[in-house]
Amino acid sequence: MNRPLSPLALGYPTTGSLEVFAVDDDGAIKVSWKANNGPWQAPHPLSPPSFKQPGAPLSGVYYPPGGTLEVFSVGQGPVHVLWKSPLVQDVWQGPDPIASGFPAPADAHSAAVHYPPGQTLEVFAVGADRGVYGIWKAPYVENRWQPPFLLADATGLAPPGSPLAAVHYPPGDTLEVFVVGDNGAVNGLWKAPHVQNVWQQPFALAGAVDLAVPGAALAAVSYPPGEQLEVFVVDRSGALTVLWKQGNGAWQGPIRLTRNDFAPPGAPVTAVHYPPNEQLEVHVIGTDGRVWVMWKDHNGPWAPEPHPLTDAGALAPETPLTSAYYPVNEQLEVFVGDETWFSRVLWKHHNKTWAPCLVPLGPRSGTTYLPAADTRHLAQVTGTPEFIAAGVRGVDLGASTTHRDTPYVFFGDVPRSGRTDGPVQDADAIARVRHLSSDGIALDLVRSGQYFAPFTIRKPDGSLLVPQNNQTPTGAFSDGTFAYVFCLVHDRPGEPWPVPVSYLTRSADPNSGRPYDEVFRWSEDKFWQVAPHVVENAAVPGLPNSAGRGVMLFGGGAADGGGGAIHLAWMPLDPDRIPQAADIRYHRGDAGWSSPGDQASARPLWRLLPGYTSISVVFVPAGGCWIALYSRASPFGDQNRPTGPVVARTAPAPTGPWSQEIAVFDPCRDGAFADYMHWPDLDDLNLRDPSGLTDNTGWAYGAFILEPLTEWHPEDSSVTLHFLMSTSRPYQVHHMRSRFRTGGGSAG
């Protein structure tokens, strides 16, 4: 696994550019940049290869007296600078050695700062003797770099090469440098005109020792709204912690802003003043691999809880990161190191919603990016004039089956969207497939008069049930005379909360618009979302019966001990007998198949993340491969994963072993947001959606395979799947195509 690079982000006012620097895999210092908020440019080398160790930290600053942008590399040997300015037509110069004899170890961290009193530019690092050293230049010495010197004659302070923070603090006109020392304190050193710019002895901020691990990363920022200087560190307990002073008074704190074990002790942290809302924002990567933000505005109280900006596992804990305010479009941008890319960025504009994806700035020289799947968005298939005319202004889901040579699609909830007549709110629609090819799909809604005919269940007593909100078809199959549909229903209204129940229904003519007859009421537990697949029993080794036909039933539902899981069952098909729930046998893992009807003994094929997902399944005879498709996304409460992917697992048999998950569709990787999936403040897709549903974000769910279009590629053991996918906002269904290689490690 590659070491994540360490990004450095600097603004360059001369050209309105934002620039990101890092030492790439080939050892060259490179820059990626954008001007006037245009597209990011691919990383460009500024130094020869093998100049530094890949991932080595850099520091830099814009220096107004010379109008220069300067980047520093500190380590064994001389300190080097790269620089540009209008005087050299903004062409990068260097790397030039500027200080010999700087006693820093290899890959030392450094901090650079412009100090207006004296118009100095100063660079600091912790030397091999554990003291803090600096170099500087100023116009009054003709901008010649001065030899390294030891601040306050203090040695033995912090581990060699430790991270530092340096900041000019206007209320006291001080220049202050911070480092976490061997005593576990955030130690400060400072100078100011009123002490003749003589560096003062190091001291523990607020007297707090044993606060953090020695050499911990830290961030410091001058916050004008409160005339405050604030320093942040992840303490020994893993809590994001702040120390501060106001009006150059005494240091206060430490105050923990998060719970313990929030981030690895000493983890990288970045802080920035965001002027549009007078915000102070702090960013850190937690132990869960998310990028988190903690903030306050107008110098008010800190937010009660940090807010996640990514899904869990997006990054490795302790990944380097930095942040920058970019005045163009009032953007706040957070850059993270990455094992595959030069860097990736999160951003927001005008203090609106954070963009959902970590966007790559460009490739690393030593890594070739190979996506898990080649996925394309072919078309939005609902929301068309034909659908709107039939009262379907918005819809989701789309399980399908082919019955008597005609494919049918069973959609989910249809909002009335202003209708006052026709099918009830959130009734479900059915469509007949008029055309199906690798180029696209054309649908005709099954109608009853002017509007669509809602999916309706006729109970054994003759009463009719129209499934409504969150009650939908989940899977379908055909056998002889009948098309069969599994449907999720909440049929126990007396309970404190809706209880999901799976029904099997059937119709001899899905195009008729007439009710489907209830075959049996099945599961309140392990088989809420059911993906059926008809098999010749003899073709699937190990089934309870090797004669005739049966249905493999993959069910998403509750798992013993809590959480969700996919379970497996098998139901025999007898041409002379209606299917019976009592005949279903359940897979029990190593114990094999259960006796008929023993659902309680079913054991998971694999477990699911909390939250809703559908599942669909296909068997690819040419590859001898079973494929299951489902989503890891969720927009609900604590399970907020709107950027989660649609994933596949593959197996040689229904019972497994099932592979690890393959990201078949990833909305960030595949560029879905602001194109055909909505994200607040990035697009107006929700406002242009005829469904009338405008709140919330888009997320990917309801991935249902279009089995007739499945194609096997023997040359590389890959498969092309076509599937329908819902995006919530817009509240419509889309035709997707993905090619990916099958196999992989066992799911465990």
Side-chain angles (χ1 to χ4, degrees), residues 19-262:
E19 314 202 14
V20 177
F21 307 84
V23 183
D24 206 347
D25 293 315
D26 59 2
I29 299 175
K30 296 182 181 178
V31 61
S32 176
W33 77 97
K34 64 177 179 179
N36 297 314
N37 213 29
W40 285 98
Q41 304 301 305
H44 175 76
L46 302 180
S47 77
S50 303
F51 184 74
K52 292 286 290 183
Q53 286 296 315
L58 303 169
S59 64
V61 69
Y62 174 67
Y63 182 47
T68 54
L69 188 62
E70 309 202 22
V71 176
F72 303 95
S73 166
V74 178
Q76 288 179 322
V79 177
H80 285 85
V81 64
L82 291 147
W83 65 278
K84 67 177 179 178
S85 76
L87 292 176
V88 292
Q89 292 74 51
D90 293 320
V91 175
W92 282 100
Q93 309 295 306
D96 297 324
I98 57 174
S100 59
F102 201 103
D107 293 351
H109 290 267
S110 59
V113 63
H114 167 229
Y115 183 45
Q119 297 286 28
T120 57
L121 192 162
E122 311 201 22
V123 182
F124 307 96
V126 180
D129 63 358
R130 311 170 85 85
V132 178
Y133 286 80
I135 58 173
W136 62 277
K137 70 175 183 178
Y140 68 85
V141 293
E142 299 178 348
N143 281 325
R144 291 192 301 267
W145 286 98
Q146 304 302 298
F149 69 98
L150 181 65
L151 275 63
D153 296 324
T155 58
L157 184 63
S162 291
L164 310 93
V167 63
H168 168 233
Y169 179 47
D173 233 355
T174 53
L175 178 58
E176 311 207 19
V177 178
F178 306 96
V179 65
V180 178
D182 292 329
N183 59 355
V186 177
N187 292 289
L189 302 100
W190 64 277
K191 69 175 182 177
H194 72 270
V195 292
Q196 293 72 51
N197 283 324
V198 173
W199 284 98
Q200 304 301 295
Q201 290 296 314
F203 67 99
L205 272 58
V209 297
D210 203 30
L211 174 67
V213 294
L218 71 173
V221 63
S222 177
Y223 181 48
E227 289 194 341
Q228 292 183 185
L229 179 57
E230 311 208 18
V231 180
F232 303 90
V233 67
V234 179
D235 69 15
R236 287 184 181 273
S237 299
L240 178 62
T241 298
V242 62
L243 301 107
W244 79 98
K245 66 177 179 179
Q246 185 173 32
N248 213 32
W251 282 94
Q252 308 295 311
I255 298 295
R256 289 190 169 109
L257 302 179
T258 68
R259 58 173 171 79
N260 292 343
D261 301 317
F262 177 74

Side-chain angles (χ1 to χ4, degrees), residues 380-408:
Q380 180 179 299
V381 300
T382 62
T384 62
E386 294 80 6
F387 269 62
I388 293 171
V392 183
R393 301 184 68 86
V395 70
D396 63 357
L397 306 183
S400 65
T401 192
T402 298
H403 181 62
R404 293 181 172 176
D405 299 322
T406 300
Y408 290 89

Side-chain angles (χ1 to χ4, degrees), residues 403-494:
H403 181 62
R404 293 181 172 176
D405 299 322
T406 300
Y408 290 89
V409 178
F410 299 88
F411 290 108
D413 295 346
V414 178
R416 276 195 155 186
S417 301
R419 267 193 299 111
T420 57
D421 59 352
V424 297
Q425 172 73 19
D426 289 334
D428 305 318
I430 305 168
R432 180 176 61 86
V433 178
R434 183 173 72 251
H435 168 79
L436 183 64
S437 74
S438 59
D439 296 323
I441 182 173
L443 302 168
D444 293 324
L445 283 165
V446 175
R447 291 190 179 223
S448 177
Q450 177 183 354
Y451 296 121
F452 72 97
F455 180 81
T456 303
I457 300 172
R458 180 186 288 113
K459 306 282 286 179
D461 62 4
S463 62
L464 299 179
L465 169 63
V466 178
Q468 296 183 47
N469 181 251
N470 294 330
Q471 303 176 73
T472 65
T474 65
F477 67 95
S478 175
D479 182 49
T481 304
F482 294 97
Y484 290 85
V485 179
F486 283 97
C487 185
L488 177 67
V489 174
H490 301 150
D491 71 349
R492 294 171 60 184

Side-chain angles (χ1 to χ4, degrees), residues 24 30 42-43 340-342 360-365 367:
D24 206 347
K30 296 182 181 178
T340 302
W341 302 99
F342 183 73
L361 270 58
R364 287 176 65 155
S365 61
T367 303

